[in-house]
Amino acid sequence: MSGPRDIEPLPIGPALAFAAGLARTTGGAFVASGIVFVVVLVTGIIGEEAYSLPSVFDAMLRALMGGVLVVTGAALLVELLRGIAERRMRLRAAERRHAQPTAPRVPVVEARRLREDPYGGIMVLAWFAVVLGPVTALVDLVSGFDYDGIALLAGVGITLAAVALFTLRGWLGRRWEARVKRLPGPGGGARMAHPRPAGAKRRDGRWAAAGFALQLGAYVFFAGVLLRQPCRDCDPVDYGGGPIEGVIDALVSVGGVLILIPIALLLLSTVPFLVRTAVLERRTLRAAREGALSPSADVDAQLTGAGALSHLASGLTVIGFLLVILGATPWTVLANDSAGDDDIAALAAFQPLLAPGWALIAAGLAAGIAGVVETRARRAAIHRALPRYDVGVAAEES
C-alpha cells in the first residue's frame, strides 16, 4: 500500500460555504422563474381561448413575464460568477492537501468534480455576444431610424467582446487543466456501490409519472391551441360556435390542468421528502458515532447527494422568488404600455408580498450555507466510521 488510505472531504471555509450555499439561491431563482413562465403561458392561453378574463389579469400575466426575465437574467450572471469562485476555492483546497503526502485522500465525488471546467458560462456569454453584436450593428445599417452610428459602434464593440471572451475562456481553461493534472486521480469508477432502496425507486416512479402527465398535458394543450391557430402567422380559425369550439376549449382547459397539477403535487411532496431525508441523516450520524455504521445504498446517497438542509434551502428560495416576482408586478407592469391606471392600481395589492419573499430568500441562503457545512461534517463522520470506504471505489490499492 502506498499513500494515505483514509478519506476526508475538503475543508469548508466561510467564503467557500457562502459560494456553495448560494447555488441553492440561484437554483431556486431558476425553478421559480420556470414555474411562473409555465403558469403564465398556460393560464394566459386558457384565458384567451376558453374564458373571458378581465384586463387586470392580462396585465398581471405580462408583468409576471417581466419579473421572470429580470430574475432569470440576474440569476444567470450570479451563477456564472458563483460557479467560478466555488470551483477555484475547492481547487486551492485540494492543492494544499495534495502538497501534504500524509494527508487524507479527497472523496471520489469531490475529486471528479474538480476536473469539471468551471468556465463554461463564459462560452454562453461569448456565443450570446456573437449573435447580439452583428444584429445590433445591422440595426443601424438597415433600419430607417437615425442612430448616428451608435448601434453600429455598439455592435462592433459587442463583437470584439465576444472575441475577447473566447480568448479568455481558452486561456483560463488551459490553466485549469494544467493545475488539475497535478492532482491525484479520483481512484475509481463513478457508480453506486449498492442497489437503490425501494423508497428511492418509488420516488423515481413518481417523477416519471409526473413527467408523463406534463408531456400528455402539453400535447393536449397545444393540440387545442393549434386547432385555433395552425401556425404563428396564420389567422385564428373561426368554427362558427359549433361543437368544435367546445372541443377546443376542453382541450386547452384539460391540457392546462394536466400541466399545472403535477407541478403542484411535486411541490407538495417536498415536505415528506425533507422529513424522511432528515430522519435518515440522524440515523446515519447516530450509527457512525456508535460504531455501527455499515455500507449501504443510503450511505452512498449521503456521500453523493445534498442533505435535508440544502433541499430546505431550495424550497425556501423557490417560494421566496415566487412571492418576489408576484410582489414586483406593480413595477414590472409599467413596462406594459397597454396597462391602464386601474390595472396598475389593482396590482399594487401584491406589493406586500415583497417583504416575506425577500425574507424567505434570505432564510434560504442561510439554510444553503448551513447545509454545505452540515453536509461536509456528516460526510466526514461517515468516512471516519468507514475509513476505507468511498462510493465508486471498487477496491483499495495494495
Side-chain angles (χ1 to χ4, degrees):
M1 179 184 69
S2 61
R5 296 177 64 89
D6 290 356
I7 303 164
E8 183 180 349
L10 291 171
I12 300 289
L16 179 54
F18 176 81
L22 187 60
R24 295 289 163 174
T25 304
T26 55
F30 292 137
V31 173
S33 298
I35 291 174
V36 173
F37 177 81
V38 172
V39 171
V40 168
L41 177 66
V42 172
T43 57
I45 294 179
I46 290 177
E48 182 179 351
E49 293 293 336
Y51 305 99
S52 178
L53 298 175
S55 61
V56 66
F57 188 80
D58 179 71
M60 183 181 71
L61 295 182
R62 294 176 184 273
L64 288 174
M65 288 302 297
V68 166
L69 292 176
V70 172
V71 169
T72 303
L76 282 171
L77 180 59
V78 172
E79 178 60 23
L80 169 63
L81 300 176
R82 185 213 65 79
I84 293 175
E86 179 192 354
R87 297 290 180 82
R88 288 178 64 88
M89 286 186 282
R90 289 188 184 276
L91 180 59
R92 283 198 296 269
E95 288 172 336
R96 287 193 293 268
R97 176 172 294 185
H98 180 52
Q100 305 172 17
T102 59
R105 191 177 64 195
V106 177
V108 166
V109 172
E110 295 188 31
R112 287 187 175 276
R113 191 177 181 190
L114 287 173
R115 283 160 171 75
E116 298 175 1
D117 189 343
Y119 302 110
I122 296 179
M123 292 294 291
V124 177
L125 291 179
W127 282 111
F128 180 74
V130 164
V131 176
L132 181 62
V135 170
T136 304
L138 286 174
V139 167
D140 202 324
L141 297 175
V142 303
S143 68
F145 299 98
D146 185 11
Y147 288 103
D148 295 326
I150 295 177
L152 178 60
L153 290 175
V156 172
I158 294 172
T159 303
L160 292 176
V163 175
L165 287 172
F166 279 118
T167 304
L168 177 65
R169 164 64 178 79
W171 179 69
L172 290 173
R174 287 190 295 272
R175 288 194 61 188
W176 184 271
E177 184 178 358
R179 292 175 64 181
V180 168
K181 282 183 177 179
R182 293 193 287 267
L183 297 176
R191 64 182 184 278
M192 301 300 285
H194 299 86
R196 305 191 70 206
K201 294 179 180 179
R202 286 194 296 270
R203 286 195 299 274
D204 288 347
R206 288 194 290 268
W207 276 104
F212 175 77
L214 284 171
Q215 291 183 9
L216 178 62
Y219 291 143
V220 174
F221 180 78
F222 285 105
V225 174
L226 291 175
L227 283 174
R228 170 64 64 196
Q229 189 170 351
C231 66
R232 181 175 181 179
D233 298 326
C234 299
D235 294 328
V237 180
D238 185 4
Y239 294 97
I244 296 182
E245 294 284 355
V247 171
I248 293 175
D249 292 345
L251 287 174
V252 172
S253 300
V254 172
V257 170
L258 287 175
I259 292 174
L260 297 178
I261 285 182
I263 295 177
L265 291 178
L266 289 174
L267 291 176
L268 292 174
S269 67
T270 301
V271 174
F273 171 75
L274 287 175
V275 172
R276 180 191 178 279
T277 303
V279 170
L280 183 60
E281 290 171 359
R282 290 180 63 86
R283 289 177 180 173
T284 301
L285 286 175
R286 184 167 58 250
R289 287 193 297 265
E290 295 173 354
L293 188 64
S294 59
S296 67
D298 289 332
V299 171
D300 291 349
Q302 294 187 53
L303 291 176
T304 58
L309 261 179
S310 296
H311 290 300
L312 175 63
S314 296
L316 291 175
T317 52
V318 168
I319 298 173
F321 276 110
L322 288 175
L323 295 180
V324 166
I325 293 173
L326 186 58
T329 51
W331 288 277
T332 52
V333 74
L334 297 177
N336 179 16
D337 294 335
S338 63
D341 293 338
D342 293 339
D343 297 337
I344 296 174
L347 292 179
F350 293 109
Q351 184 176 343
L353 296 176
L354 281 174
W358 286 117
L360 285 173
I361 292 171
L365 176 59
I369 295 171
V372 171
V373 177
E374 186 276 333
T375 297
R376 194 270 175 194
R378 177 164 34 84
R379 290 178 178 176
I382 292 173
H383 285 302
R384 284 194 297 269
L386 304 171
R388 300 183 180 182
Y389 180 75
D390 197 6
V391 175
V393 179
E396 293 290 336
E397 304 86 40
S398 58

